[in-house]
Amino acid sequence: MARFTLPRDLYHGEGALEALKTFTGKKAMVCVGGGSMKRFGFLDKVVSYLKEAGMEVELFEGIEPDPSVDTVMRGADAMLKFEPDWIVAIGGGSPIDAAKAMWIKYEYPDITFEEMCKVFGIPALRRKARFCAISSTSGTATEVTAFSIITDYQKGIKYPIADFEITPDVAIVDPALAETMPGKLVAHTGMDAITHAIEAYVSTANCDYTDPLALHAIGMIQKDLVASYNGDMDKRHSMHNAQCLAGMAFSNALLGIVHSMAHKTGAAFDDYGAHIIHGAANAMYLPKVIAFNAKDETARKRYGAIADYMHLGGKDDHEKVALLIAYLRKMNDDLKIPHCIKNYGADSYPVENGFVPEEVFLERLPEIAKNAIGDACTGSNPRIPSQEEMEKLLKCCYYDTDVDF
């Protein structure tokens, strides 16, 4: 038996934010990030609509990119004091992910972070509060997923929390919020979205319910992402829907080792002054992982089906895989994303010598590879790498060399 879970309600299209006026409850805690939602007036609208619905509203502001365990614990403490019956998270993946983890700790104050990270092991929520997620970026789709990514900075590792319990009750996908994204964020979140869709389609947990969502999202992203990056607002609106469809697919079909590697490299070089931004990491690693997974016949056929859906040509699945990889690398070029860690600058743009020194990468490689294999996303990858294979694959992602194993 398999399960397919989505939010109870999804409000989408222009003006969808006004759905907040219809909520019933006494208190709402609004969780938000670094200021763009306030700067563009969306936070004021959220507070106004919730008050119009008759609720007392309190803000938890300043959730950082790649939110930390400490932030989660502080937010949960604030919720325990305020006692909301609605948790409303607005912004990109970071504030929504953080709020999901806060929600768990609010409902179960004695739970540890380690217990929260037990895959599909969270006890039943909604004893105290329901959850609404409002996305402002077009990539993570955390507004419709059963996942949250939290960073333990002491260990330099991003941990995925995975459980259908943290699927939001309500998702609001209002394209007006996505119009405010800067170009770099459009690029990174867009490549995160196509990675979600591709990994969901080839995942060992794919099914008839997830495949159409994944393929349609891939087609939309192929058509709309680069134009959205170049400022076409109609395409920006379309991308906001595409990333949500990709999220519906991967929340139920799960992901693969592109995400395992991105999770475990993202903060691994924090002491050298920068992170490898999640969407950029996915963009760099995706072509390498496709080449690795395509050694498996079933995965190769499914990559071939993706290439067919994208009308890339190719006389057999081997050719189709090569054309798919070439297409994704061209997208990275169009979006000014590097092809490998060696050329990844501290500002995320391509440079000759990136911020991660070769000797540091090689020294940390065995531990990163071990952690990536142990990541929650690895189990549904079509080909499970050994420690040696994961190290070789990560080296290909550092040097931009071909995957021939």
Side-chain angles (χ1 to χ4, degrees), residues 139-142 145 189 191-201 214 218 243 246-247 249-250 254-255 259 278 282 286:
T140 68
T142 190
T145 75
T189 55
M191 291 307 293
D192 192 18
I194 200 166
T195 304
H196 289 155
I198 291 174
E199 288 210 291
Y201 192 75
I218 290 166
Q243 65 86 30
F250 92 78
L254 308 178
L255 292 166
H259 273 77
H278 179 70
N282 283 338
L286 180 59

Short mmCIF file of all heavy atoms in Angstrom, two decimals, residues 139-142 145 189 191-201 214 218 243 246-247 249-250 254-255 259 278 282 286:
data_model
loop_
_atom_site.label_atom_id
_atom_site.label_comp_id
_atom_site.label_asym_id
_atom_site.label_seq_id
_atom_site.Cartn_x
_atom_site.Cartn_y
_atom_site.Cartn_z
N GLY A 139 10.44 27.36 -5.95
CA GLY A 139 11.39 26.26 -6.00
C GLY A 139 11.18 25.19 -4.97
O GLY A 139 10.97 24.03 -5.29
N THR A 140 11.23 25.55 -3.68
CA THR A 140 11.24 24.51 -2.65
C THR A 140 9.93 23.76 -2.58
O THR A 140 9.90 22.58 -2.23
CB THR A 140 11.52 25.12 -1.26
OG1 THR A 140 10.41 25.93 -0.88
CG2 THR A 140 12.78 25.95 -1.27
N ALA A 141 8.81 24.44 -2.85
CA ALA A 141 7.46 23.85 -2.77
C ALA A 141 7.15 23.32 -1.38
O ALA A 141 6.27 22.48 -1.21
CB ALA A 141 7.27 22.75 -3.81
N THR A 142 7.85 23.82 -0.38
CA THR A 142 7.62 23.32 0.97
C THR A 142 6.20 23.61 1.45
O THR A 142 5.73 23.01 2.41
CB THR A 142 8.67 23.90 1.95
OG1 THR A 142 8.59 23.24 3.21
CG2 THR A 142 8.50 25.40 2.13
N THR A 145 4.64 20.15 0.87
CA THR A 145 5.40 18.92 1.08
C THR A 145 5.42 18.45 2.53
O THR A 145 5.12 19.19 3.45
CB THR A 145 6.87 19.06 0.62
OG1 THR A 145 7.59 19.86 1.58
CG2 THR A 145 6.95 19.69 -0.76
N THR A 189 16.08 28.69 -7.31
CA THR A 189 14.84 28.00 -6.94
C THR A 189 14.26 27.25 -8.13
O THR A 189 13.69 26.17 -7.97
CB THR A 189 13.81 28.98 -6.37
OG1 THR A 189 13.59 30.04 -7.31
CG2 THR A 189 14.28 29.58 -5.05
N MET A 191 15.98 25.78 -10.58
CA MET A 191 16.72 24.53 -10.76
C MET A 191 16.44 23.54 -9.63
O MET A 191 16.49 22.33 -9.83
CB MET A 191 18.22 24.81 -10.88
CG MET A 191 18.61 25.52 -12.18
SD MET A 191 18.01 24.70 -13.69
CE MET A 191 18.96 23.17 -13.66
N ASP A 192 16.13 24.06 -8.45
CA ASP A 192 15.67 23.19 -7.37
C ASP A 192 14.38 22.50 -7.79
O ASP A 192 14.20 21.29 -7.61
CB ASP A 192 15.44 24.04 -6.11
CG ASP A 192 15.24 23.22 -4.85
OD1 ASP A 192 15.59 22.02 -4.83
OD2 ASP A 192 14.74 23.78 -3.86
N ALA A 193 13.48 23.27 -8.42
CA ALA A 193 12.18 22.72 -8.83
C ALA A 193 12.33 21.64 -9.89
O ALA A 193 11.68 20.58 -9.81
CB ALA A 193 11.28 23.84 -9.34
N ILE A 194 13.18 21.87 -10.90
CA ILE A 194 13.32 20.84 -11.94
C ILE A 194 14.01 19.61 -11.38
O ILE A 194 13.72 18.47 -11.78
CB ILE A 194 14.03 21.39 -13.20
CG1 ILE A 194 13.71 20.47 -14.39
CG2 ILE A 194 15.52 21.55 -13.00
CD1 ILE A 194 14.05 21.06 -15.74
N THR A 195 14.91 19.80 -10.40
CA THR A 195 15.52 18.65 -9.74
C THR A 195 14.47 17.85 -8.98
O THR A 195 14.47 16.62 -9.02
CB THR A 195 16.64 19.11 -8.78
OG1 THR A 195 17.59 19.90 -9.50
CG2 THR A 195 17.35 17.92 -8.16
N HIS A 196 13.58 18.55 -8.30
CA HIS A 196 12.48 17.85 -7.60
C HIS A 196 11.69 16.98 -8.57
O HIS A 196 11.39 15.82 -8.29
CB HIS A 196 11.52 18.87 -6.97
CG HIS A 196 12.08 19.60 -5.81
ND1 HIS A 196 11.64 20.84 -5.42
CD2 HIS A 196 13.05 19.25 -4.92
CE1 HIS A 196 12.31 21.23 -4.35
NE2 HIS A 196 13.17 20.29 -4.02
N ALA A 197 11.33 17.57 -9.70
CA ALA A 197 10.48 16.85 -10.66
C ALA A 197 11.20 15.65 -11.27
O ALA A 197 10.63 14.55 -11.40
CB ALA A 197 10.00 17.80 -11.74
N ILE A 198 12.46 15.84 -11.67
CA ILE A 198 13.23 14.76 -12.30
C ILE A 198 13.49 13.64 -11.29
O ILE A 198 13.32 12.45 -11.59
CB ILE A 198 14.53 15.29 -12.92
CG1 ILE A 198 14.20 16.17 -14.14
CG2 ILE A 198 15.45 14.14 -13.31
CD1 ILE A 198 15.40 16.88 -14.75
N GLU A 199 13.91 14.01 -10.08
CA GLU A 199 14.18 12.98 -9.07
C GLU A 199 12.90 12.23 -8.70
O GLU A 199 12.93 11.01 -8.48
CB GLU A 199 14.83 13.59 -7.83
CG GLU A 199 16.28 14.00 -8.05
CD GLU A 199 17.12 13.91 -6.80
OE1 GLU A 199 16.89 14.71 -5.88
OE2 GLU A 199 18.00 13.03 -6.74
N ALA A 200 11.78 12.94 -8.62
CA ALA A 200 10.51 12.27 -8.31
C ALA A 200 10.14 11.27 -9.39
O ALA A 200 9.63 10.17 -9.10
CB ALA A 200 9.40 13.30 -8.13
N TYR A 201 10.39 11.63 -10.66
CA TYR A 201 9.99 10.76 -11.77
C TYR A 201 10.81 9.47 -11.81
O TYR A 201 10.30 8.42 -12.19
CB TYR A 201 10.10 11.51 -13.10
CG TYR A 201 9.44 10.77 -14.24
CD1 TYR A 201 8.05 10.74 -14.36
CD2 TYR A 201 10.20 10.08 -15.18
CE1 TYR A 201 7.44 10.03 -15.39
CE2 TYR A 201 9.59 9.38 -16.22
CZ TYR A 201 8.21 9.37 -16.31
OH TYR A 201 7.61 8.66 -17.33
N ALA A 214 5.00 15.29 -12.07
CA ALA A 214 6.43 15.50 -12.33
C ALA A 214 6.67 15.89 -13.79
O ALA A 214 7.38 16.86 -14.08
CB ALA A 214 7.21 14.23 -11.98
N ILE A 218 8.06 19.48 -15.30
CA ILE A 218 9.28 19.54 -16.12
C ILE A 218 9.02 20.33 -17.40
O ILE A 218 9.81 21.21 -17.79
CB ILE A 218 9.79 18.12 -16.45
CG1 ILE A 218 10.36 17.46 -15.18
CG2 ILE A 218 10.86 18.16 -17.55
CD1 ILE A 218 10.57 15.96 -15.32
N GLN A 243 6.59 24.94 -9.85
CA GLN A 243 7.35 24.44 -8.70
C GLN A 243 6.44 23.76 -7.69
O GLN A 243 6.84 22.82 -7.01
CB GLN A 243 8.14 25.60 -8.05
CG GLN A 243 7.29 26.71 -7.43
CD GLN A 243 6.87 26.46 -6.01
OE1 GLN A 243 7.57 25.79 -5.26
NE2 GLN A 243 5.71 27.00 -5.64
N ALA A 246 5.76 20.28 -8.95
CA ALA A 246 6.94 19.46 -8.67
C ALA A 246 6.97 19.05 -7.21
O ALA A 246 7.34 17.91 -6.87
CB ALA A 246 8.21 20.21 -9.06
N GLY A 247 6.57 19.97 -6.34
CA GLY A 247 6.53 19.66 -4.91
C GLY A 247 5.51 18.59 -4.58
O GLY A 247 5.76 17.70 -3.76
N ALA A 249 4.65 16.25 -6.51
CA ALA A 249 5.22 14.99 -6.98
C ALA A 249 6.24 14.44 -5.99
O ALA A 249 6.14 13.29 -5.54
CB ALA A 249 5.86 15.18 -8.36
N PHE A 250 7.21 15.27 -5.60
CA PHE A 250 8.30 14.70 -4.80
C PHE A 250 7.91 14.47 -3.35
O PHE A 250 8.48 13.61 -2.67
CB PHE A 250 9.57 15.55 -4.91
CG PHE A 250 9.75 16.64 -3.87
CD1 PHE A 250 10.18 16.34 -2.59
CD2 PHE A 250 9.54 17.98 -4.19
CE1 PHE A 250 10.37 17.34 -1.65
CE2 PHE A 250 9.73 18.98 -3.27
CZ PHE A 250 10.14 18.65 -1.98
N LEU A 254 9.09 11.01 -3.28
CA LEU A 254 10.40 11.17 -2.64
C LEU A 254 11.46 11.62 -3.64
O LEU A 254 11.16 11.87 -4.81
CB LEU A 254 10.80 9.90 -1.89
CG LEU A 254 9.74 9.36 -0.91
CD1 LEU A 254 10.22 8.08 -0.25
CD2 LEU A 254 9.37 10.42 0.12
N LEU A 255 12.71 11.69 -3.18
CA LEU A 255 13.78 12.28 -4.00
C LEU A 255 14.92 11.28 -4.17
O LEU A 255 14.70 10.08 -4.14
CB LEU A 255 14.26 13.58 -3.34
CG LEU A 255 13.24 14.72 -3.35
CD1 LEU A 255 13.65 15.83 -2.38
CD2 LEU A 255 13.08 15.29 -4.76
N HIS A 259 19.71 15.43 -3.95
CA HIS A 259 19.38 16.13 -2.72
C HIS A 259 20.22 15.65 -1.54
O HIS A 259 20.60 16.45 -0.68
CB HIS A 259 17.88 16.00 -2.42
CG HIS A 259 17.08 17.05 -3.09
ND1 HIS A 259 16.77 17.01 -4.44
CD2 HIS A 259 16.54 18.21 -2.61
CE1 HIS A 259 16.07 18.10 -4.75
NE2 HIS A 259 15.93 18.83 -3.67
N HIS A 278 21.47 25.78 -1.87
CA HIS A 278 20.81 24.50 -2.16
C HIS A 278 20.45 24.33 -3.64
O HIS A 278 20.76 23.31 -4.26
CB HIS A 278 19.57 24.35 -1.28
CG HIS A 278 18.82 23.09 -1.51
ND1 HIS A 278 19.30 21.85 -1.12
CD2 HIS A 278 17.63 22.85 -2.11
CE1 HIS A 278 18.44 20.92 -1.46
NE2 HIS A 278 17.41 21.49 -2.07
N ASN A 282 22.00 21.61 -6.32
CA ASN A 282 21.20 20.68 -7.13
C ASN A 282 21.51 20.83 -8.61
O ASN A 282 21.63 19.83 -9.34
CB ASN A 282 19.71 20.94 -6.89
CG ASN A 282 19.22 20.37 -5.58
OD1 ASN A 282 19.83 19.47 -5.02
ND2 ASN A 282 18.11 20.90 -5.09
N LEU A 286 22.95 17.58 -10.50
CA LEU A 286 21.93 16.83 -11.23
C LEU A 286 22.47 16.14 -12.48
O LEU A 286 22.22 14.94 -12.68
CB LEU A 286 20.75 17.75 -11.58
CG LEU A 286 19.59 17.12 -12.37
CD1 LEU A 286 18.97 15.94 -11.63
CD2 LEU A 286 18.52 18.18 -12.67
#
